[in-house]
Amino acid sequence: MTGMVCKDFLVQRKQLGYYIVFFLLYAVLAVMEIMPIGILYTMTLLIGMILPMSTFAYDDLARWNKYAAATPASRQGVVAGKYVFTLLSVLMAAALSAVLVIAVLAIKPELGAVGELLMGLAVCTLLAILIDAVILPLLIKFGAEKSRLISILLFMAVFGGVMLLGQLAGGLEKLLPPDWLLSALPGLLALLAIGSYGISYFIARGIFEKKEL
């Protein structure tokens, strides 16, 4: 499994370098107050969605899975490698974002409170993990191209549904949960993300075990 994870990092090293450049650029723009500082931690959501699709697209093009399943890692190792790679990518993006948020606030403390921004980063990180729990089994089942379309449609359905509910309720602010639930939200989201990611792994492993390569 470790080899599978290293392979994905090596394949994506150029793209990961681009993301680091984007992070640094956004940090400079945040210091200049051209862009909000929140853009730094929302990048974790972007990385959480794009990187898994990129690795699966490469594997589909190279017909990698057929070869990888025949290695000592077996099919189980292939799936585990994808889940570990995706999780590490999101956590590394979150760590870099946290460092840059703190650095920006050290230069421009008036841009926000450290605690609130890091809480926003934590929520975005957990949301990225939760999104990956949904899209990884789809990527294993349908491949990168079909899953990209399904993910877009799913995002549009969720976003459209929230907007519609907001309109029916008289505004999105009417949909906000009570304060006690907002306080507990990070903990609940963490439990949901961790539980969903674990369940997703076993679902994906079952799909890949039955898939014809």
Side-chain angles (χ1 to χ4, degrees):
M1 183 198 73
T2 304
M4 300 295 172
V5 177
C6 292
K7 183 272 297 181
D8 281 337
F9 274 112
L10 288 172
V11 169
Q12 297 297 319
R13 63 186 182 278
K14 184 178 291 186
Q15 190 168 349
L16 290 169
Y18 292 147
Y19 284 131
I20 292 174
V21 172
F22 280 128
F23 266 111
L24 296 174
L25 177 61
Y26 289 143
V28 172
L29 293 175
V31 170
M32 298 171 65
E33 300 187 36
I34 295 175
M35 297 190 73
I37 192 172
I39 192 69
L40 288 171
Y41 55 76
T42 54
M43 279 285 290
T44 56
L45 283 172
L46 182 65
I47 289 174
M49 290 188 67
I50 292 180
L51 271 183
M53 290 186 183
S54 297
T55 62
F56 275 91
Y58 174 85
D59 289 350
D60 292 346
L61 185 63
R63 299 184 181 276
W64 166 259
N65 286 335
K66 190 172 185 178
Y67 165 78
T71 66
S74 73
R75 294 184 179 228
Q76 180 177 341
V78 174
V79 176
K82 290 297 181 188
Y83 273 75
V84 172
F85 167 76
T86 301
L87 183 60
L88 287 176
S89 299
V90 172
L91 294 179
M92 288 168 62
L96 177 58
S97 179
V99 170
L100 291 176
V101 165
I102 293 171
V104 170
L105 290 178
I107 299 171
K108 286 283 189 74
E110 66 273 14
L111 292 179
V114 176
E116 291 180 1
L117 289 171
L118 292 182
M119 182 61 71
L121 170 60
V123 170
C124 281
T125 303
L126 292 170
L127 285 175
I129 295 172
L130 192 56
I131 290 171
D132 285 328
V134 175
I135 66 173
L136 283 171
L138 295 176
L139 286 165
I140 289 174
K141 175 70 174 177
F142 300 109
E145 290 302 319
K146 290 182 180 178
S147 297
R148 184 178 291 112
L149 178 60
I150 294 172
S151 298
I152 292 172
L153 292 175
L154 182 63
F155 174 79
M156 291 175 62
V158 172
F159 181 76
V162 171
M163 295 299 293
L164 179 61
L165 286 173
Q167 290 292 327
L168 293 175
L172 290 177
E173 65 278 359
K174 299 291 183 63
L175 297 178
L176 289 176
D179 291 340
W180 66 267
L181 184 55
L182 282 175
S183 301
L185 186 60
L188 294 174
L189 190 57
L191 291 174
L192 179 62
I194 294 169
S196 298
Y197 205 72
I199 293 170
S200 174
Y201 165 71
F202 288 105
I203 293 173
R205 198 173 77 177
I207 292 171
F208 197 61
E209 288 288 346
K210 298 176 182 177
K211 186 175 182 179
E212 292 187 12
L213 302 177

